[in-house]
């Protein structure tokens, strides 16, 4: 198949099924594929129609490599099928929620649309689809991503208005509308508009995978997350064969602090994963959830599984992010600052191109800086802070605006703890307050289950260390408003209430901590203390 090398060049997810074979769910073997119900009438052959509907269902569950192969197979068998090339170009967009389409993918998509333009088999509606997508690819080497994305959203809106009964036009418009939302818009106007469109489609198409999937994304913010719960519970059942459909509900569960549901969701996703990106992404969410419930032995097993992925995909930073975040979370969530201070950028450059993904490497360096500073080694922390500054400069060069801001906050947090280690508590506290306020306005990126360690939670911990428990309690409670049901927040709030003389509040928080950790497999000191207090 001539298109496959190009597909592999741009694909955000490359297959590494051999590395994941041990995770295969025996119960899934031999079962018919279930991807939901999608109908996209085309003017090519009956077999192409069947394959095209499957390709769109794969696309709607972000199963990029399989969707690309499916659309590529259509045009290999039927080179005159214009809409088949459109399907390949649509898939080349990748995950617009995660960031701009890579240059190689843009060139591939543009080439596919050029073939679509001259392919003879297409009706007027299909030509309109091709023209609408062409807006995104036109002058991709001259115009910035956001300019083209906004133009694409408008072209999809016109397409949906022209074909109001065409489910795919309407759903795709909602997808692009949601991905074009400004992260600084706290009214969530674009997301809510997209959600309203999708909620209406759901009434007539309850088994459409894209409807449930994009609803979760549209509501993927603390203020909106409760509205996604119904879609989250539906999506995994709509497309049980897709690893992403099993994982995606955990975006909502994590944001609501629903750890057992998060665990089940990502165990199922990891079992179905056919790429290391899907697999590692699920493991990151899984280790995060295990650690909140004190299930440290299970979290440790997840760390080992991540390390066993020896040749991670370098085409997408999500693989590197998970590889960095998983061991960092395991050390930091347990307060093992010495272990955090010894973290290394791994696997080696030959296995993963860390130099090309500074926002992934920064995760390790930030965690290491925290470990050093909170172990009292201010000099080592300062060295890592300097490295974070270099990585932030690389992100600026790469136009990674979100990650530039996030890394700036991480630098501020690390500076605060290094300053405290240097014996300047008031200056440290001022730095950490600023960082906590800044992080409040930064939305969670889709690639992460949550911050490596919430800045406001850390502010509560620093205030506790400085014997200001009443103020610390307030900060812990504010942190829980954005990051609910976290182990460290519950324990911190309990200790702060206890030291403030508010035994009733302390009792409540210790009880909530013990309930949170009812399935704990580790005897953390915090849990021993909580049990003693409650008893």
């Amino acid at each position: 198949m001539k298109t496959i090398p190009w597909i592999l060049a741009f694909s955000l997810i490359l297959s590494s099924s051999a590395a994941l074979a041990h995770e295969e769910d025996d119960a899934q073997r031999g079962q018919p594929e279930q991807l939901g119900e999608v109908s996209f009438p085309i003017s090519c052959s009956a077999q192409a129609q069947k394959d095209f509907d499957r390709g769109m269902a794969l696309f709607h569950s972000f199963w990029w490599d399989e969707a690309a192969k499916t659309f590529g197979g259509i045009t290999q068998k039927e080179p005159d099928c214009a809409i088949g090339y459109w399907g390949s170009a649509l898939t080349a967009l990748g995950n617009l929620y995660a960031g701009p389409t890579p240059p190689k993918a843009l060139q591939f998509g543009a080439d596919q649309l050029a073939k679509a333009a001259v392919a003879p088999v297409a009706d007027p509606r299909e030509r309109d689809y091709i023209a609408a997508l062409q807006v995104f690819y036109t002058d991709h080497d001259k115009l910035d991503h956001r300019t083209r994305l906004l133009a694409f959203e408008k072209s999809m809106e016109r397409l949906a208005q022209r074909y109001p009964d065409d489910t795919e036009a309407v759903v795709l418009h909602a997808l692009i509308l949601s991905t074009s939302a400004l992260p600084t818009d706290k009214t969530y106007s674009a997301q809510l508009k997209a959600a309203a469109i999708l909620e209406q489609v759901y009434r007539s198409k309850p088994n459409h995978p894209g409807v449930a999937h994009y609803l979760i994304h549209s509501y993927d913010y603390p203020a909106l997350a409760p509205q996604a719960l119904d879609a989250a519970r539906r999506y995994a059942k709509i497309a049980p064969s897709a690893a992403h459909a099993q994982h995606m509900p955990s975006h909502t569960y994590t944001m609501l602090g629903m750890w057992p549901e998060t665990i089940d969701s990502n165990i199922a996703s990891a079992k179905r994963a056919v790429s290391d990106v899907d697999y590692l992404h699920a493991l990151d969410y899984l280790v995060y959830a295990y650690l909140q419930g004190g299930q440290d032995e299970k979290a440790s097993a997840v760390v080992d599984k991540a390390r066993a992925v020896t040749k991670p995909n370098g085409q997408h930073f999500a693989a590197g992010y998970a590889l960095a975040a998983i061991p960092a979370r395991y050390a930091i969530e347990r307060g093992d600052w010495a272990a955090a201070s010894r973290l290394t950028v791994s696997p080696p450059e030959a296995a993963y191109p860390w130099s090309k993904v500074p926002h992934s490497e920064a995760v390790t360096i930030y965690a290491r800086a925290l470990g050093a500073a909170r172990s009292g080694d201010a000099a080592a922390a300062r060295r890592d802070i300097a490295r974070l500054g270099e990585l932030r400069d690389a992100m600026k060069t790469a136009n990674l605006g979100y990650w530039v801001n996030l890394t700036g906050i991480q630098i501020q947090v690390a500076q605060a703890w290094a300053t405290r280690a240097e014996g300047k508590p008031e200056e440290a506290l001022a730095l950490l307050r600023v960082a906590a306020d800044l992080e409040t306005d930064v939305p969670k990126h889709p690639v992460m289950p949550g911050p490596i360690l919430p800045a406001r939670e850390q502010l509560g911990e620093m205030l506790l260390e400085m014997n200001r428990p009443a103020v610390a309690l307030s900060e812990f409670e504010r942190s829980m408003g954005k990051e609910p049901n976290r182990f460290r927040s519950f324990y911190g709030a309990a200790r702060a209430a206890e030291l403030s003389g508010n035994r009733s509040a302390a009792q409540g928080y210790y009880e909530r901590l013990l309930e949170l950790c009812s399935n704990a497999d580790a005897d953390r000191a915090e849990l021993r203390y909580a049990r003693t207090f409650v008893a």
Side-chain angles (χ1 to χ4, degrees):
M1 184 184 299
K2 293 182 179 179
T3 55
I4 291 300
W6 281 100
I7 291 168
L8 295 181
F10 80 76
S11 178
L12 300 182
I13 298 175
L14 300 181
S15 176
S16 57
S17 56
L20 309 181
H22 64 288
E23 288 296 323
E24 185 176 351
D25 186 2
D26 290 340
Q28 294 298 309
R29 294 176 181 172
Q31 296 298 315
E33 186 176 65
Q34 298 179 63
L35 299 169
E37 297 176 5
V38 175
S39 177
F40 189 125
I42 63 173
S43 57
C44 305
S45 70
Q47 183 59 52
Q49 176 70 72
K50 180 180 178 181
D51 292 343
F52 196 91
D53 286 343
R54 177 175 180 267
M56 288 304 300
L58 292 162
F59 170 87
H60 286 308
S61 284
F62 288 2
W63 197 338
W64 308 118
D65 54 343
E66 192 65 23
K69 292 174 186 176
T70 300
F71 290 124
I74 292 172
T75 52
Q76 183 192 41
K77 295 172 185 174
E78 300 182 35
D80 290 343
C81 181
I83 197 68
Y85 297 109
W86 173 90
S88 292
L90 181 73
T91 304
L93 294 174
N95 187 352
L96 294 175
Y97 287 107
T101 305
K104 286 184 179 180
L106 286 172
Q107 188 56 56
F108 175 83
D111 292 343
Q112 292 297 296
L113 288 180
K115 293 178 181 179
V118 297
V121 179
D123 62 22
R125 169 179 156 275
E126 292 168 16
R127 292 295 176 195
D128 287 340
Y129 267 95
I130 293 166
L133 182 55
Q134 184 65 60
V135 169
F136 181 80
Y137 284 101
T138 298
D139 293 331
H140 64 83
D141 56 340
K142 301 181 181 67
L143 299 176
D144 66 90
H145 171 77
R146 179 154 185 82
T147 297
R148 291 181 291 105
L149 184 63
L150 290 174
F152 184 28
E153 187 274 313
K154 292 302 179 187
S155 71
M156 288 304 303
E157 182 179 37
R158 290 191 292 271
L159 184 72
Q161 290 172 345
R162 187 173 305 156
Y163 303 102
D165 296 327
D166 188 331
T167 298
E168 293 307 295
V170 173
V171 170
L172 288 172
H173 172 233
L175 165 64
I176 304 307
L177 176 60
S178 181
T179 60
S180 69
L182 277 172
T184 54
D185 179 12
K186 299 307 176 184
T187 68
Y188 307 109
S189 57
Q191 297 94 323
L192 290 172
K193 182 178 178 181
I197 293 170
L198 294 166
E199 295 281 14
Q200 185 172 2
V201 175
Y202 168 66
R203 298 186 186 103
S204 59
K205 305 290 182 181
N207 292 318
H208 191 289
V211 173
H213 184 185
Y214 307 144
L215 273 171
I216 297 170
H217 272 295
S218 296
Y219 291 137
D220 201 14
Y221 306 88
L224 305 180
Q227 299 179 64
L229 196 53
D230 180 59
R233 287 171 171 156
R234 293 199 318 262
Y235 185 31
K237 298 175 182 178
I238 290 171
S241 297
H244 194 71
Q246 301 308 306
H247 159 77
M248 194 63 209
S250 69
H251 279 232
T252 300
Y253 300 150
T254 298
M255 203 163 284
L256 297 175
M258 299 168 63
W259 307 124
E261 292 84 353
T262 300
I263 289 167
D264 291 344
S265 179
N266 286 287
I267 287 175
S269 180
K271 286 178 178 178
R272 289 161 177 78
V274 293
S275 76
D276 51 37
V277 175
D278 275 344
Y279 182 63
L280 291 167
H281 188 51
L283 294 189
D284 187 21
Y285 276 70
L286 188 57
V287 78
Y288 186 80
Y290 276 142
L291 288 165
Q292 303 318 313
Q295 295 178 277
D296 297 352
E297 290 184 11
K298 290 184 177 179
S300 178
V302 173
V303 174
D304 291 340
K305 289 179 180 180
R307 287 175 179 153
V309 181
T310 56
K311 294 182 179 180
N313 172 26
Q315 296 295 317
H316 197 293
F317 85 95
Y321 181 89
L323 285 169
I326 289 168
R329 295 188 197 283
Y330 182 70
I332 286 177
E333 292 283 4
R334 294 160 45 251
D336 190 346
W337 306 117
S341 71
R342 296 191 298 268
L343 290 168
T344 58
V345 176
S346 177
E349 179 73 20
Y352 190 82
W354 293 100
S355 61
K356 296 181 181 179
V357 282
H359 41 330
S360 291
E361 181 183 344
V363 174
T364 297
I365 305 304
Y366 171 57
R368 195 167 67 194
L370 286 183
R374 298 190 72 165
S375 298
D377 190 347
R382 292 292 181 189
R383 289 193 293 271
D384 282 327
I385 291 168
R387 176 57 180 159
L388 280 175
E390 295 171 354
L391 292 170
R392 183 177 58 175
D393 290 342
M395 294 175 212
K396 289 179 181 177
T397 301
N399 295 317
L400 301 171
Y402 174 90
W403 298 100
V404 171
N405 293 335
L406 184 63
T407 304
I409 294 169
Q410 292 173 339
I411 289 171
Q412 181 98 352
V413 172
Q415 285 177 333
W417 287 108
T419 301
R420 172 141 177 77
E422 291 164 347
K424 295 175 279 189
E426 295 303 328
E427 184 179 338
L429 193 60
L431 287 168
L432 195 47
R433 281 192 186 281
V434 171
D437 289 341
L438 289 172
E439 191 178 83
T440 298
D441 294 328
V442 175
K444 181 188 79 66
H445 193 278
V447 80
M448 62 174 71
I452 296 300
L453 205 60
R456 193 164 299 281
E457 183 180 82
Q458 295 186 65
L459 177 59
E461 293 175 347
M462 184 178 284
L463 286 162
L464 265 183
E465 289 185 8
M466 295 171 65
N467 197 28
R468 300 180 189 178
V471 186
L473 177 58
S474 174
E475 297 298 347
F476 282 121
E477 290 176 337
R478 287 183 66 187
S479 182
M480 285 186 281
K482 185 180 180 184
E483 314 286 348
N485 291 348
R486 282 183 45 80
F487 182 105
R488 296 180 69 87
S489 286
F490 275 164
Y491 181 75
R495 280 291 289 158
E498 179 187 356
L499 294 173
S500 300
N502 189 342
R503 292 189 63 82
S504 175
Q507 178 88 5
Y509 280 121
Y510 281 129
E511 288 176 351
R512 290 173 71 182
L513 177 65
L514 293 173
E515 181 181 358
L516 180 74
C517 298
S518 58
N519 294 317
D521 56 22
D523 192 23
R524 293 190 198 177
E526 297 93 333
L527 293 178
R528 292 196 301 271
Y529 189 89
R531 285 192 290 268
T532 300
F533 185 96
V534 169

